[in-house]
Amino acid sequence: SQSQSTLLSIFSQEYQKQIKRTHAKHHTAEAVETYYQRYLNGVMKNAAAPVLLELANEVDFAPSLMARIVLERFLQEKEQTIPSKTLINTMLRDPSQIPDGVLANQVYQCTVNDCCYGPLVDCIKHAIGHEHEVLLREMLLEKNLSFIAEDQLRAKGYDKTPDFILEVPVAVEGHIVHWIESKASFGDESSHQTYLQDQFWSYWNRFGPGLVIYWYGFIEELDCHRERGILLKDCFPTDIVTLRHSMA
């Protein structure tokens, strides 16, 4: 009964958890050397074959992260020094800057075939997040609700800010709401706990009670902080009560 977007969001989160659990074993000195030698042997036999992509799939590791390991090892050998993260990120974003045509092609194959990591996925996630913030802004304007957006708050010197602060609080399902945060993802237990710790309680301390919209749904049991001032929804609320309505 769930939408494709919700299922993709859940899959992405579960996949990332698995990668985090196994991340360390792929970064031992022996593993890095094994992957690098297998890459060299593979391209020597057939430079056009997707050697890195197949290696990543074989050892059950994200293709973009495998590309990063081999690229870092290659640059280390070439420059005789550990390359900076900035340089590696630049080359992953634009493989044409890699000073080896074969490796550039291998890295490109990895980044375009990775569904959860890498520069392309980061761009897509950023675009989806921005799209939902724009959608939320339009809904607030439609309801004639006066608000201050995140970029305006940053300009005033605030560091941790929700997407929108309501200049006049509203009530949603009997709960006062001073701010609204948009999350273009599924709210699972681990991501929600991280958001609570890093963002939501900070907003609550500074601006009072608020509303979080998980556009792709959330685990119902997580909506347990309503009385303390954090309300969860999976869409823009239809039953908003404004100060003008309550006075009338």
Side-chain angles (χ1 to χ4, degrees), residues 15-243:
Y15 182 76
Q16 285 170 21
K17 283 180 206 165
Q18 181 195 318
I19 294 296
K20 281 174 188 168
R21 281 196 298 268
T22 60
H23 191 268
K25 77 171 186 182
H26 295 291
H27 283 78
T28 63
E30 297 135 310
V32 169
E33 203 52 46
T34 301
Y35 297 154
Y36 188 57
Q37 291 307 322
R38 284 192 61 181
Y39 156 73
L40 291 176
N41 294 335
V43 294
M44 201 180 291
K45 288 174 191 168
N46 184 359
V51 177
L52 272 186
L53 183 59
E54 287 176 355
L55 176 58
N57 290 334
E58 183 191 321
V59 299
D60 206 12
F61 198 47
S64 289
L65 300 183
M66 177 61 78
R68 177 184 283 272
I69 287 173
V70 171
L71 175 60
E72 192 172 346
R73 176 68 181 78
F74 166 81
L75 292 170
Q76 206 172 327
E77 189 173 90
K78 185 176 167 56
E79 308 294 335
Q80 294 299 305
T81 180
I82 295 171
S84 69
K85 278 189 177 178
T86 308
L87 178 65
I88 291 169
N89 289 337
T90 303
M91 288 181 173
L92 287 170
R93 276 196 300 271
D94 179 11
S96 66
Q97 295 192 34
I98 298 171
D100 180 288
V102 173
L103 181 56
N105 185 43
Q106 294 285 330
V107 168
Y108 175 73
Q109 287 173 350
C110 284
T111 56
V112 297
N113 286 289
D114 196 322
C115 62
C116 292
Y117 283 92
L120 284 177
V121 174
D122 290 343
C123 285
I124 293 166
K125 283 182 178 174
H126 180 75
I128 292 171
H130 182 65
E131 184 186 332
H132 283 82
E133 283 174 34
V134 171
L135 183 68
L136 180 53
R137 180 191 289 268
E138 286 172 359
M139 289 170 168
L140 290 169
L141 290 169
E142 204 177 287
K143 291 278 186 185
N144 291 319
L145 297 174
S146 182
F147 59 83
I148 306 169
E150 185 178 18
D151 49 356
Q152 295 168 289
L153 289 161
R154 290 280 165 91
K156 289 182 177 181
Y158 288 101
D159 54 349
K160 282 191 177 181
T161 61
D163 293 319
F164 299 98
I165 288 181
L166 303 176
E167 293 194 289
V168 180
V170 298
V172 176
E173 296 172 13
H175 298 274
I176 300 295
V177 168
H178 285 266
W179 52 268
I180 304 178
E181 176 75 1
S182 168
K183 292 292 179 199
S185 61
F186 179 80
D188 72 345
E189 194 169 358
S190 61
S191 63
H192 183 63
Q193 289 306 326
T194 303
Y195 286 140
L196 277 172
Q197 195 176 328
D198 296 348
Q199 298 177 353
F200 305 158
W201 289 127
S202 299
Y203 304 161
W204 182 85
N205 281 328
R206 291 180 185 191
F207 308 111
L211 164 68
V212 178
I213 302 176
Y214 281 111
W215 294 101
Y216 298 145
F218 57 89
I219 296 169
E220 285 179 19
E221 286 80 2
L222 298 177
D223 191 16
C224 57
H225 297 295
R226 287 183 165 215
E227 299 311 314
R228 290 184 64 191
I230 293 176
L231 181 70
L232 303 187
K233 296 281 285 179
D234 61 3
C235 62
F236 188 76
T238 51
D239 54 346
I240 289 177
V241 179
T242 63
L243 193 60

